Amino acid sequence: MSPEERPGSDPQTQSREESFLPPQVVEKLKQTARDAAVNSYSPYSGFPVGAAVLAESGRIYSGTNVENASYGLSICAERTAIFNAVSAGERAIIALAVYTPTDEPSVPCGACLAVISEFAEGEVPILMFTEEKERWLTLDQLLPERFKLKPKEKQ
Ligand code: THU
């Protein structure tokens, strides 16, 4: 899906991060992220997270955080969702939603931002939400400067 083909895509309205996503897509992203948090394996932190990724094909992939007794082996919900998408053959991320059952919406960690950046297609809107609150930011706002490496075949 090219940026022009995206549903609701309109250069006039793209300054608002969420505006090119139709409300029903946003609702589906939120529902998927909320549902994913139910399966969180987070016995050490007690901090369940659910994520949903809208990929270029229009499909939505979910992920949750999976912790380990060796703490450093734990993985965040956002990366689980992205790796699910990539494993299904996706290579471009259009948008991402992150749900936490907390008072304030939770911002993705730096490692997850770097992984989002790897597959970012254009300006990626990121929705962080709780039962009561939501916040939209873009990947550019969260990670304005990034490490990049040219893929070998393009060098
Ligand atoms: N976590 C996420 O799933 N996403 C983030 O962006 C930050 C943190 C998880 C990792 C760990 O299981 C728990 O939240 C507490 O850090």
Side-chain angles (χ1 to χ4, degrees), residues 80-130:
T80 306
I82 294 165
F83 295 157
N84 262 337
V86 173
S87 300
E90 306 282 358
R91 289 295 182 269
I93 290 171
I94 308 296
L96 188 132
V98 188
Y99 167 78
T100 48
T102 48
D103 290 340
E104 297 299 324
S106 186
V107 173
C109 79
C112 288
L113 293 175
V115 172
I116 297 167
S117 167
E118 183 72 29
F119 299 103
E121 179 72 32
E123 201 176 336
V124 179
I126 299 176
L127 168 62
M128 295 141 279
F129 72 104
T130 68

mmCIF file of all heavy atoms in Angstrom, residues 80-130:
data_model
loop_
_atom_site.group_PDB
_atom_site.id
_atom_site.type_symbol
_atom_site.label_atom_id
_atom_site.label_comp_id
_atom_site.label_asym_id
_atom_site.label_seq_id
_atom_site.Cartn_x
_atom_site.Cartn_y
_atom_site.Cartn_z
ATOM 1 N N THR A 80 7.318 -7.786 20.052
ATOM 2 C CA THR A 80 6.634 -9.053 19.752
ATOM 3 C C THR A 80 5.678 -8.851 18.571
ATOM 4 O O THR A 80 5.638 -9.667 17.639
ATOM 5 C CB THR A 80 5.852 -9.561 20.978
ATOM 6 O OG1 THR A 80 6.734 -9.644 22.091
ATOM 7 C CG2 THR A 80 5.252 -10.927 20.717
ATOM 8 N N ALA A 81 4.932 -7.747 18.593
ATOM 9 C CA ALA A 81 3.963 -7.481 17.517
ATOM 10 C C ALA A 81 4.686 -7.272 16.183
ATOM 11 O O ALA A 81 4.267 -7.806 15.144
ATOM 12 C CB ALA A 81 3.119 -6.259 17.864
ATOM 13 N N ILE A 82 5.780 -6.515 16.223
ATOM 14 C CA ILE A 82 6.509 -6.244 14.970
ATOM 15 C C ILE A 82 7.126 -7.536 14.438
ATOM 16 O O ILE A 82 7.081 -7.818 13.235
ATOM 17 C CB ILE A 82 7.591 -5.163 15.195
ATOM 18 C CG1 ILE A 82 6.923 -3.832 15.518
ATOM 19 C CG2 ILE A 82 8.502 -5.023 13.970
ATOM 20 C CD1 ILE A 82 7.862 -2.795 16.098
ATOM 21 N N PHE A 83 7.699 -8.345 15.317
ATOM 22 C CA PHE A 83 8.319 -9.591 14.861
ATOM 23 C C PHE A 83 7.258 -10.556 14.322
ATOM 24 O O PHE A 83 7.520 -11.324 13.387
ATOM 25 C CB PHE A 83 9.149 -10.227 15.981
ATOM 26 C CG PHE A 83 10.344 -9.378 16.397
ATOM 27 C CD1 PHE A 83 10.908 -9.525 17.653
ATOM 28 C CD2 PHE A 83 10.900 -8.445 15.538
ATOM 29 C CE1 PHE A 83 12.014 -8.752 18.044
ATOM 30 C CE2 PHE A 83 11.998 -7.654 15.911
ATOM 31 C CZ PHE A 83 12.550 -7.813 17.175
ATOM 32 N N ASN A 84 6.059 -10.499 14.893
ATOM 33 C CA ASN A 84 4.944 -11.290 14.347
ATOM 34 C C ASN A 84 4.645 -10.867 12.922
ATOM 35 O O ASN A 84 4.460 -11.704 12.033
ATOM 36 C CB ASN A 84 3.663 -11.061 15.180
ATOM 37 C CG ASN A 84 3.443 -12.156 16.182
ATOM 38 O OD1 ASN A 84 3.939 -13.269 16.037
ATOM 39 N ND2 ASN A 84 2.680 -11.843 17.217
ATOM 40 N N ALA A 85 4.588 -9.544 12.719
ATOM 41 C CA ALA A 85 4.288 -9.007 11.387
ATOM 42 C C ALA A 85 5.379 -9.390 10.387
ATOM 43 O O ALA A 85 5.099 -9.866 9.283
ATOM 44 C CB ALA A 85 4.146 -7.483 11.460
ATOM 45 N N VAL A 86 6.623 -9.210 10.796
ATOM 46 C CA VAL A 86 7.743 -9.515 9.891
ATOM 47 C C VAL A 86 7.775 -11.015 9.586
ATOM 48 O O VAL A 86 8.017 -11.427 8.449
ATOM 49 C CB VAL A 86 9.075 -9.013 10.489
ATOM 50 C CG1 VAL A 86 10.268 -9.473 9.663
ATOM 51 C CG2 VAL A 86 9.069 -7.491 10.584
ATOM 52 N N SER A 87 7.477 -11.822 10.584
ATOM 53 C CA SER A 87 7.466 -13.282 10.378
ATOM 54 C C SER A 87 6.381 -13.704 9.396
ATOM 55 O O SER A 87 6.487 -14.746 8.756
ATOM 56 C CB SER A 87 7.239 -14.012 11.708
ATOM 57 O OG SER A 87 8.268 -13.690 12.611
ATOM 58 N N ALA A 88 5.335 -12.879 9.290
ATOM 59 C CA ALA A 88 4.254 -13.178 8.341
ATOM 60 C C ALA A 88 4.556 -12.609 6.956
ATOM 61 O O ALA A 88 3.735 -12.705 6.048
ATOM 62 C CB ALA A 88 2.937 -12.614 8.864
ATOM 63 N N GLY A 89 5.735 -11.992 6.810
ATOM 64 C CA GLY A 89 6.146 -11.489 5.497
ATOM 65 C C GLY A 89 6.026 -9.983 5.334
ATOM 66 O O GLY A 89 6.369 -9.446 4.279
ATOM 67 N N GLU A 90 5.540 -9.281 6.349
ATOM 68 C CA GLU A 90 5.404 -7.823 6.248
ATOM 69 C C GLU A 90 6.780 -7.168 6.338
ATOM 70 O O GLU A 90 7.685 -7.674 7.010
ATOM 71 C CB GLU A 90 4.529 -7.282 7.391
ATOM 72 C CG GLU A 90 3.180 -7.935 7.523
ATOM 73 C CD GLU A 90 2.172 -7.443 6.492
ATOM 74 O OE1 GLU A 90 2.519 -6.559 5.680
ATOM 75 O OE2 GLU A 90 1.033 -7.950 6.507
ATOM 76 N N ARG A 91 6.922 -6.016 5.690
ATOM 77 C CA ARG A 91 8.184 -5.285 5.761
ATOM 78 C C ARG A 91 7.981 -3.802 6.038
ATOM 79 O O ARG A 91 8.956 -3.054 6.120
ATOM 80 C CB ARG A 91 8.980 -5.447 4.450
ATOM 81 C CG ARG A 91 9.563 -6.850 4.255
ATOM 82 C CD ARG A 91 10.608 -7.168 5.317
ATOM 83 N NE ARG A 91 11.205 -8.474 5.122
ATOM 84 C CZ ARG A 91 10.746 -9.603 5.671
ATOM 85 N NH1 ARG A 91 9.678 -9.575 6.451
ATOM 86 N NH2 ARG A 91 11.353 -10.753 5.462
ATOM 87 N N ALA A 92 6.742 -3.373 6.160
ATOM 88 C CA ALA A 92 6.502 -1.952 6.399
ATOM 89 C C ALA A 92 5.396 -1.748 7.431
ATOM 90 O O ALA A 92 4.333 -2.358 7.341
ATOM 91 C CB ALA A 92 6.144 -1.250 5.095
ATOM 92 N N ILE A 93 5.702 -0.895 8.392
ATOM 93 C CA ILE A 93 4.756 -0.593 9.462
ATOM 94 C C ILE A 93 4.126 0.765 9.211
ATOM 95 O O ILE A 93 4.824 1.760 8.991
ATOM 96 C CB ILE A 93 5.488 -0.579 10.823
ATOM 97 C CG1 ILE A 93 5.902 -2.001 11.195
ATOM 98 C CG2 ILE A 93 4.617 0.030 11.922
ATOM 99 C CD1 ILE A 93 6.821 -2.026 12.403
ATOM 100 N N ILE A 94 2.806 0.812 9.250
ATOM 101 C CA ILE A 94 2.067 2.049 8.981
ATOM 102 C C ILE A 94 1.718 2.771 10.289
ATOM 103 O O ILE A 94 1.742 3.997 10.365
ATOM 104 C CB ILE A 94 0.748 1.745 8.215
ATOM 105 C CG1 ILE A 94 1.017 0.891 6.965
ATOM 106 C CG2 ILE A 94 -0.017 3.010 7.879
ATOM 107 C CD1 ILE A 94 1.855 1.558 5.917
ATOM 108 N N ALA A 95 1.340 1.990 11.315
ATOM 109 C CA ALA A 95 0.925 2.590 12.595
ATOM 110 C C ALA A 95 1.051 1.544 13.693
ATOM 111 O O ALA A 95 1.112 0.334 13.422
ATOM 112 C CB ALA A 95 -0.512 3.088 12.506
ATOM 113 N N LEU A 96 1.084 2.021 14.935
ATOM 114 C CA LEU A 96 1.228 1.114 16.074
ATOM 115 C C LEU A 96 0.405 1.635 17.254
ATOM 116 O O LEU A 96 0.315 2.849 17.445
ATOM 117 C CB LEU A 96 2.710 1.044 16.442
ATOM 118 C CG LEU A 96 3.131 0.019 17.477
ATOM 119 C CD1 LEU A 96 4.337 -0.758 16.996
ATOM 120 C CD2 LEU A 96 3.468 0.702 18.798
ATOM 121 N N ALA A 97 -0.186 0.712 17.998
ATOM 122 C CA ALA A 97 -0.930 1.094 19.212
ATOM 123 C C ALA A 97 -0.379 0.309 20.393
ATOM 124 O O ALA A 97 -0.021 -0.868 20.258
ATOM 125 C CB ALA A 97 -2.413 0.803 19.034
ATOM 126 N N VAL A 98 -0.288 0.977 21.524
ATOM 127 C CA VAL A 98 0.223 0.345 22.750
ATOM 128 C C VAL A 98 -0.770 0.585 23.882
ATOM 129 O O VAL A 98 -1.097 1.743 24.195
ATOM 130 C CB VAL A 98 1.580 0.951 23.189
ATOM 131 C CG1 VAL A 98 2.169 0.138 24.335
ATOM 132 C CG2 VAL A 98 2.546 1.046 22.041
ATOM 133 N N TYR A 99 -1.223 -0.503 24.484
ATOM 134 C CA TYR A 99 -2.187 -0.401 25.592
ATOM 135 C C TYR A 99 -1.540 -0.827 26.900
ATOM 136 O O TYR A 99 -0.827 -1.843 26.955
ATOM 137 C CB TYR A 99 -3.390 -1.307 25.317
ATOM 138 C CG TYR A 99 -4.256 -1.507 26.535
ATOM 139 C CD1 TYR A 99 -5.152 -0.513 26.946
ATOM 140 C CD2 TYR A 99 -4.161 -2.669 27.298
ATOM 141 C CE1 TYR A 99 -5.931 -0.680 28.076
ATOM 142 C CE2 TYR A 99 -4.948 -2.840 28.435
ATOM 143 C CZ TYR A 99 -5.826 -1.842 28.819
ATOM 144 O OH TYR A 99 -6.583 -2.002 29.938
ATOM 145 N N THR A 100 -1.780 -0.039 27.942
ATOM 146 C CA THR A 100 -1.380 -0.455 29.291
ATOM 147 C C THR A 100 -2.534 -0.152 30.245
ATOM 148 O O THR A 100 -3.171 0.899 30.119
ATOM 149 C CB THR A 100 -0.117 0.296 29.784
ATOM 150 O OG1 THR A 100 -0.278 1.705 29.547
ATOM 151 C CG2 THR A 100 1.137 -0.208 29.092
ATOM 152 N N PRO A 101 -2.808 -1.048 31.183
ATOM 153 C CA PRO A 101 -3.870 -0.792 32.163
ATOM 154 C C PRO A 101 -3.332 0.070 33.299
ATOM 155 O O PRO A 101 -3.279 -0.352 34.455
ATOM 156 C CB PRO A 101 -4.247 -2.197 32.629
ATOM 157 C CG PRO A 101 -3.010 -2.997 32.455
ATOM 158 C CD PRO A 101 -2.222 -2.386 31.331
ATOM 159 N N THR A 102 -2.887 1.264 32.961
ATOM 160 C CA THR A 102 -2.226 2.162 33.914
ATOM 161 C C THR A 102 -2.977 3.498 33.971
ATOM 162 O O THR A 102 -3.915 3.708 33.196
ATOM 163 C CB THR A 102 -0.767 2.420 33.465
ATOM 164 O OG1 THR A 102 -0.792 2.757 32.068
ATOM 165 C CG2 THR A 102 0.105 1.205 33.642
ATOM 166 N N ASP A 103 -2.528 4.397 34.825
ATOM 167 C CA ASP A 103 -3.175 5.716 34.907
ATOM 168 C C ASP A 103 -2.833 6.560 33.682
ATOM 169 O O ASP A 103 -3.678 7.252 33.136
ATOM 170 C CB ASP A 103 -2.720 6.463 36.171
ATOM 171 C CG ASP A 103 -3.288 5.830 37.428
ATOM 172 O OD1 ASP A 103 -4.294 5.095 37.312
ATOM 173 O OD2 ASP A 103 -2.714 6.044 38.511
ATOM 174 N N GLU A 104 -1.557 6.483 33.281
ATOM 175 C CA GLU A 104 -1.088 7.289 32.141
ATOM 176 C C GLU A 104 -0.675 6.369 30.993
ATOM 177 O O GLU A 104 -0.152 5.284 31.231
ATOM 178 C CB GLU A 104 0.127 8.136 32.553
ATOM 179 C CG GLU A 104 -0.161 9.158 33.642
ATOM 180 C CD GLU A 104 -1.217 10.186 33.229
ATOM 181 O OE1 GLU A 104 -1.234 10.572 32.043
ATOM 182 O OE2 GLU A 104 -2.015 10.575 34.096
ATOM 183 N N PRO A 105 -0.852 6.809 29.746
ATOM 184 C CA PRO A 105 -0.366 6.014 28.611
ATOM 185 C C PRO A 105 1.141 5.826 28.700
ATOM 186 O O PRO A 105 1.862 6.685 29.215
ATOM 187 C CB PRO A 105 -0.735 6.878 27.402
ATOM 188 C CG PRO A 105 -1.821 7.788 27.863
ATOM 189 C CD PRO A 105 -1.550 8.041 29.319
ATOM 190 N N SER A 106 1.620 4.680 28.219
ATOM 191 C CA SER A 106 3.036 4.331 28.326
ATOM 192 C C SER A 106 3.737 4.485 26.970
ATOM 193 O O SER A 106 3.255 3.988 25.954
ATOM 194 C CB SER A 106 3.128 2.877 28.819
ATOM 195 O OG SER A 106 4.442 2.525 29.072
ATOM 196 N N VAL A 107 4.857 5.184 26.980
ATOM 197 C CA VAL A 107 5.634 5.425 25.757
ATOM 198 C C VAL A 107 6.530 4.213 25.475
ATOM 199 O O VAL A 107 7.136 3.667 26.404
ATOM 200 C CB VAL A 107 6.509 6.696 25.940
ATOM 201 C CG1 VAL A 107 7.458 6.897 24.785
ATOM 202 C CG2 VAL A 107 5.626 7.922 26.125
ATOM 203 N N PRO A 108 6.621 3.756 24.224
ATOM 204 C CA PRO A 108 7.500 2.616 23.907
ATOM 205 C C PRO A 108 8.951 2.882 24.317
ATOM 206 O O PRO A 108 9.433 4.023 24.212
ATOM 207 C CB PRO A 108 7.397 2.482 22.380
ATOM 208 C CG PRO A 108 6.106 3.129 22.022
ATOM 209 C CD PRO A 108 5.891 4.229 23.029
ATOM 210 N N CYS A 109 9.637 1.854 24.748
ATOM 211 C CA CYS A 109 11.035 2.004 25.165
ATOM 212 C C CYS A 109 11.925 2.271 23.945
ATOM 213 O O CYS A 109 11.510 2.084 22.792
ATOM 214 C CB CYS A 109 11.512 0.764 25.921
ATOM 215 S SG CYS A 109 11.938 -0.623 24.858
ATOM 216 N N GLY A 110 13.138 2.697 24.199
ATOM 217 C CA GLY A 110 14.069 3.044 23.124
ATOM 218 C C GLY A 110 14.364 1.885 22.184
ATOM 219 O O GLY A 110 14.471 2.072 20.971
ATOM 220 N N ALA A 111 14.487 0.681 22.747
ATOM 221 C CA ALA A 111 14.770 -0.486 21.905
ATOM 222 C C ALA A 111 13.617 -0.715 20.931
ATOM 223 O O ALA A 111 13.830 -0.985 19.742
ATOM 224 C CB ALA A 111 14.992 -1.722 22.781
ATOM 225 N N CYS A 112 12.402 -0.579 21.414
ATOM 226 C CA CYS A 112 11.237 -0.781 20.533
ATOM 227 C C CYS A 112 11.162 0.314 19.480
ATOM 228 O O CYS A 112 10.810 0.045 18.327
ATOM 229 C CB CYS A 112 9.949 -0.837 21.356
ATOM 230 S SG CYS A 112 9.808 -2.377 22.292
ATOM 231 N N LEU A 113 11.508 1.547 19.855
ATOM 232 C CA LEU A 113 11.491 2.635 18.874
ATOM 233 C C LEU A 113 12.481 2.349 17.748
ATOM 234 O O LEU A 113 12.200 2.596 16.575
ATOM 235 C CB LEU A 113 11.812 3.973 19.547
ATOM 236 C CG LEU A 113 10.759 4.489 20.533
ATOM 237 C CD1 LEU A 113 11.256 5.758 21.227
ATOM 238 C CD2 LEU A 113 9.427 4.757 19.832
ATOM 239 N N ALA A 114 13.648 1.802 18.108
ATOM 240 C CA ALA A 114 14.650 1.480 17.083
ATOM 241 C C ALA A 114 14.132 0.381 16.150
ATOM 242 O O ALA A 114 14.380 0.408 14.943
ATOM 243 C CB ALA A 114 15.956 1.052 17.747
ATOM 244 N N VAL A 115 13.390 -0.558 16.707
ATOM 245 C CA VAL A 115 12.845 -1.658 15.879
ATOM 246 C C VAL A 115 11.695 -1.138 15.008
ATOM 247 O O VAL A 115 11.579 -1.513 13.837
ATOM 248 C CB VAL A 115 12.419 -2.859 16.760
ATOM 249 C CG1 VAL A 115 11.692 -3.910 15.937
ATOM 250 C CG2 VAL A 115 13.652 -3.478 17.425
ATOM 251 N N ILE A 116 10.879 -0.236 15.554
ATOM 252 C CA ILE A 116 9.828 0.389 14.729
ATOM 253 C C ILE A 116 10.495 1.129 13.565
ATOM 254 O O ILE A 116 10.087 1.022 12.412
ATOM 255 C CB ILE A 116 8.957 1.371 15.556
ATOM 256 C CG1 ILE A 116 8.220 0.633 16.672
ATOM 257 C CG2 ILE A 116 7.962 2.101 14.647
ATOM 258 C CD1 ILE A 116 7.599 1.562 17.727
ATOM 259 N N SER A 117 11.575 1.854 13.892
ATOM 260 C CA SER A 117 12.284 2.645 12.884
ATOM 261 C C SER A 117 12.784 1.778 11.719
ATOM 262 O O SER A 117 12.761 2.201 10.555
ATOM 263 C CB SER A 117 13.453 3.352 13.562
ATOM 264 O OG SER A 117 14.329 3.883 12.622
ATOM 265 N N GLU A 118 13.202 0.573 12.033
ATOM 266 C CA GLU A 118 13.719 -0.346 11.005
ATOM 267 C C GLU A 118 12.673 -0.598 9.908
ATOM 268 O O GLU A 118 13.018 -0.756 8.743
ATOM 269 C CB GLU A 118 14.115 -1.670 11.668
ATOM 270 C CG GLU A 118 14.736 -2.704 10.762
ATOM 271 C CD GLU A 118 16.159 -2.343 10.324
ATOM 272 O OE1 GLU A 118 16.854 -1.648 11.088
ATOM 273 O OE2 GLU A 118 16.550 -2.763 9.222
ATOM 274 N N PHE A 119 11.404 -0.646 10.322
ATOM 275 C CA PHE A 119 10.335 -1.005 9.376
ATOM 276 C C PHE A 119 9.368 0.152 9.124
ATOM 277 O O PHE A 119 8.287 -0.057 8.577
ATOM 278 C CB PHE A 119 9.582 -2.239 9.899
ATOM 279 C CG PHE A 119 10.475 -3.441 10.049
ATOM 280 C CD1 PHE A 119 10.925 -3.845 11.300
ATOM 281 C CD2 PHE A 119 10.900 -4.149 8.935
ATOM 282 C CE1 PHE A 119 11.778 -4.938 11.440
ATOM 283 C CE2 PHE A 119 11.748 -5.238 9.059
ATOM 284 C CZ PHE A 119 12.190 -5.634 10.311
ATOM 285 N N ALA A 120 9.767 1.355 9.557
ATOM 286 C CA ALA A 120 8.854 2.499 9.457
ATOM 287 C C ALA A 120 8.589 2.863 8.002
ATOM 288 O O ALA A 120 9.508 2.995 7.205
ATOM 289 C CB ALA A 120 9.452 3.695 10.190
ATOM 290 N N GLU A 121 7.321 3.041 7.695
ATOM 291 C CA GLU A 121 6.904 3.468 6.358
ATOM 292 C C GLU A 121 6.323 4.869 6.511
ATOM 293 O O GLU A 121 5.243 5.038 7.053
ATOM 294 C CB GLU A 121 5.858 2.475 5.834
ATOM 295 C CG GLU A 121 5.296 2.782 4.477
ATOM 296 C CD GLU A 121 6.293 2.540 3.358
ATOM 297 O OE1 GLU A 121 7.128 1.633 3.488
ATOM 298 O OE2 GLU A 121 6.226 3.286 2.368
ATOM 299 N N GLY A 122 7.085 5.864 6.078
ATOM 300 C CA GLY A 122 6.631 7.239 6.260
ATOM 301 C C GLY A 122 6.606 7.617 7.725
ATOM 302 O O GLY A 122 7.350 7.078 8.539
ATOM 303 N N GLU A 123 5.729 8.542 8.040
ATOM 304 C CA GLU A 123 5.629 9.019 9.418
ATOM 305 C C GLU A 123 4.702 8.062 10.183
ATOM 306 O O GLU A 123 3.507 8.007 9.874
ATOM 307 C CB GLU A 123 5.046 10.429 9.404
ATOM 308 C CG GLU A 123 5.350 11.214 10.649
ATOM 309 C CD GLU A 123 4.845 12.641 10.540
ATOM 310 O OE1 GLU A 123 4.686 13.120 9.415
ATOM 311 O OE2 GLU A 123 4.600 13.237 11.580
ATOM 312 N N VAL A 124 5.246 7.320 11.117
ATOM 313 C CA VAL A 124 4.447 6.283 11.791
ATOM 314 C C VAL A 124 3.733 6.877 13.013
ATOM 315 O O VAL A 124 4.382 7.265 13.988
ATOM 316 C CB VAL A 124 5.328 5.095 12.243
ATOM 317 C CG1 VAL A 124 4.493 4.034 12.955
ATOM 318 C CG2 VAL A 124 6.061 4.490 11.053
ATOM 319 N N PRO A 125 2.398 6.947 12.972
ATOM 320 C CA PRO A 125 1.685 7.399 14.158
ATOM 321 C C PRO A 125 1.665 6.315 15.225
ATOM 322 O O PRO A 125 1.448 5.137 14.904
ATOM 323 C CB PRO A 125 0.274 7.705 13.647
ATOM 324 C CG PRO A 125 0.135 6.999 12.361
ATOM 325 C CD PRO A 125 1.500 6.658 11.839
ATOM 326 N N ILE A 126 1.914 6.718 16.460
ATOM 327 C CA ILE A 126 1.922 5.760 17.572
ATOM 328 C C ILE A 126 0.877 6.200 18.584
ATOM 329 O O ILE A 126 0.925 7.322 19.095
ATOM 330 C CB ILE A 126 3.330 5.678 18.206
ATOM 331 C CG1 ILE A 126 4.329 5.187 17.152
ATOM 332 C CG2 ILE A 126 3.323 4.754 19.430
ATOM 333 C CD1 ILE A 126 5.775 5.155 17.619
ATOM 334 N N LEU A 127 -0.059 5.309 18.829
ATOM 335 C CA LEU A 127 -1.124 5.585 19.797
ATOM 336 C C LEU A 127 -0.792 4.866 21.101
ATOM 337 O O LEU A 127 -0.618 3.641 21.106
ATOM 338 C CB LEU A 127 -2.467 5.084 19.253
ATOM 339 C CG LEU A 127 -3.627 5.023 20.243
ATOM 340 C CD1 LEU A 127 -3.962 6.412 20.789
ATOM 341 C CD2 LEU A 127 -4.853 4.410 19.595
ATOM 342 N N MET A 128 -0.688 5.643 22.172
ATOM 343 C CA MET A 128 -0.467 5.062 23.501
ATOM 344 C C MET A 128 -1.757 5.294 24.271
ATOM 345 O O MET A 128 -2.229 6.438 24.343
ATOM 346 C CB MET A 128 0.699 5.773 24.201
ATOM 347 C CG MET A 128 2.026 5.564 23.493
ATOM 348 S SD MET A 128 3.047 7.052 23.476
ATOM 349 C CE MET A 128 2.328 7.943 22.116
ATOM 350 N N PHE A 129 -2.337 4.231 24.831
ATOM 351 C CA PHE A 129 -3.634 4.456 25.480
ATOM 352 C C PHE A 129 -3.856 3.563 26.693
ATOM 353 O O PHE A 129 -3.223 2.518 26.847
ATOM 354 C CB PHE A 129 -4.771 4.305 24.459
ATOM 355 C CG PHE A 129 -5.037 2.888 24.000
ATOM 356 C CD1 PHE A 129 -6.137 2.195 24.480
ATOM 357 C CD2 PHE A 129 -4.199 2.252 23.103
ATOM 358 C CE1 PHE A 129 -6.400 0.901 24.060
ATOM 359 C CE2 PHE A 129 -4.445 0.956 22.673
ATOM 360 C CZ PHE A 129 -5.551 0.287 23.158
ATOM 361 N N THR A 130 -4.750 4.054 27.551
ATOM 362 C CA THR A 130 -5.190 3.316 28.735
ATOM 363 C C THR A 130 -6.715 3.221 28.632
ATOM 364 O O THR A 130 -7.290 3.623 27.610
ATOM 365 C CB THR A 130 -4.826 4.089 30.014
ATOM 366 O OG1 THR A 130 -5.618 5.283 30.059
ATOM 367 C CG2 THR A 130 -3.349 4.469 30.041
#
